[in-house]
Amino acid sequence: MAAVVPIPADLQRRYGNSSARRAWLASVPVLIENSLQRWNLVVDLPAGREPWNGGTGIVVPVRAGDGTRAVLKVAYPSEETRLEPLALRLWSGHGAVRLLEDDPADCAMVLERLDAGRSLQGVDIDPAIEVWGRIVRQLSVPQDAQPGWPELPHIADTAERWSDDLPADWDELGRPFERWLLEAALEVCQTRGAVGRRSSRDVLVHSDLHFMNILGRPSDESYAAIDPQPTVGEAEFAVAPCLWNRIPDLSRADPQAALRERCADLCAAAGLDYEVARQWTIAREVDNALWYFSGGAHQGDAVRSLWVASTLAGKTLAGLPAAHELKTL
């Protein structure tokens, strides 16, 4: 008898906004059942509970034939999800969740089961930063002879694309913030992108390494990263997500100074260059702000991105909410 796995309401909302996404959503039960049969898995979900889900797919707790606890992840097909198993193989469980099986045709993976209730989001900020730093050091592996590296996008290519797209998007969206901040982001793209073209510091980078994407391993006190959105280039590119995350933890007396201090603390924990991290965060947050503005329904997220970008650029934009009034993650 086929296992009945409920589709989380959040996933239905996320993927009900286009015909392609609705078609994928309708196929999820079949994809899950195919994966269960292919890898001899049984669903390990308590009655009445929904499986986990994120922005890219559904994650179902399962057990293998030998009793091993794992999860089955079925993701919406995209460039990001296509590259995830490649990066996980390169990391081989060092700093990241361990990949046990994968099927590229179905965008399905079997992963070690981490403790979804124990992320760095719930850890005091100072020890969370220390753990984050250790994870970054583990994940920052240089290119070697393993297959797959040429498939990964390079940050220098991203910077080149942003050099064209950011000013065009800014104009098209009605110039939603002051030009000087756009120019600051473009300068980063031009200078850091050029450095990246000739850098010998290229490593594999988890580009969405915020505190909620680092979960505890049930077997010990260690942590591992999930949902990598992998790219190749300067490791400092990884800092930005931890600066738009947990803003309420910043000092209320001077949140701008506290943001810069957090950037410095993250860099110290991971052995990174503060100035390079600061620059990449400006560019990434300007890109994020424009993406949020284009969606129409994410104004709070866009404002948060502008606060982070302009603060690190040296002059918080006028008219933004106070730091502790920003929409937070």
Side-chain angles (χ1 to χ4, degrees), residues 109-328:
M109 297 181 291
V110 182
L111 306 167
E112 71 168 307
R113 194 186 303 184
L114 302 177
D115 185 349
R118 187 164 68 93
S119 78
L120 286 187
Q121 186 76 0
V123 175
D124 288 346
I125 192 65
D126 289 340
I129 286 173
E130 289 303 311
V131 173
W132 182 92
R134 288 199 298 273
I135 294 289
V136 170
R137 290 174 186 269
Q138 290 178 291
L139 298 181
S140 298
V141 295
Q143 187 167 349
D144 56 20
Q146 294 184 75
W149 283 93
E151 298 180 49
L152 295 166
H154 198 288
I155 293 168
D157 294 328
T158 300
E160 183 176 349
R161 174 170 52 81
W162 283 347
S163 292
D164 293 330
D165 291 352
L166 297 184
D169 293 344
W170 183 74
D171 268 324
E172 185 176 334
L173 291 166
R175 303 183 175 188
F177 51 86
E178 294 179 40
R179 177 179 285 276
W180 72 262
L181 184 56
L182 174 68
E183 296 292 346
L186 292 174
E187 182 178 358
V188 173
C189 294
Q190 291 155 11
T191 57
R192 299 279 7 132
V195 168
R197 291 287 182 201
R198 58 180 186 271
S199 176
S200 60
R201 299 173 62 235
D202 284 356
V203 295
L204 182 53
V205 179
H206 185 312
S207 69
D208 196 26
L209 196 62
H210 55 73
F211 296 117
M212 288 181 285
N213 271 350
I214 301 177
L215 304 180
R217 283 192 160 108
S219 58
D220 53 37
E221 294 301 309
S222 69
Y223 287 81
I226 61 171
D227 298 342
Q229 298 183 20
T231 187
V232 175
E234 295 181 304
E236 287 81 1
F237 196 80
V239 172
C242 277
L243 297 177
W244 64 65
N245 186 237
R246 292 185 66 165
I247 289 177
D249 291 340
L250 297 175
S251 165
R252 289 180 176 270
D254 190 345
Q256 286 86 354
L259 182 73
R260 293 187 287 270
E261 182 179 356
R262 179 177 295 178
C263 185
D265 290 344
L266 290 162
C267 290
L272 304 178
D273 185 301
Y274 169 83
E275 180 58 22
V276 176
R278 185 189 71 85
Q279 291 177 29
W280 275 126
T281 300
I282 293 168
R284 292 194 67 181
E285 281 291 64
V286 167
D287 175 66
N288 281 343
L290 290 169
W291 185 84
Y292 286 132
F293 279 128
S294 70
H298 300 281
Q299 300 299 301
D301 295 302
V303 167
R304 182 189 63 243
S305 290
L306 291 179
W307 185 86
V308 173
S310 61
T311 297
L312 288 179
K315 184 176 65 175
T316 305
L317 289 172
L320 298 181
H324 293 82
E325 296 173 2
L326 295 168
K327 181 176 180 180
T328 59

Side-chain angles (χ1 to χ4, degrees), residues 5-6 8 10-11 44-46 49-54 57-62 69-74 112-117 215:
V5 177
D10 178 62
L11 195 67
D44 190 24
L45 188 65
R49 295 280 297 275
E50 290 187 341
W52 306 303
N53 75 279
I58 188 170
V59 180
V60 183
V62 295
R69 291 158 56 91
V71 296
L72 169 66
K73 179 175 180 177
V74 178
E112 71 168 307
R113 194 186 303 184
L114 302 177
D115 185 349
L215 304 180

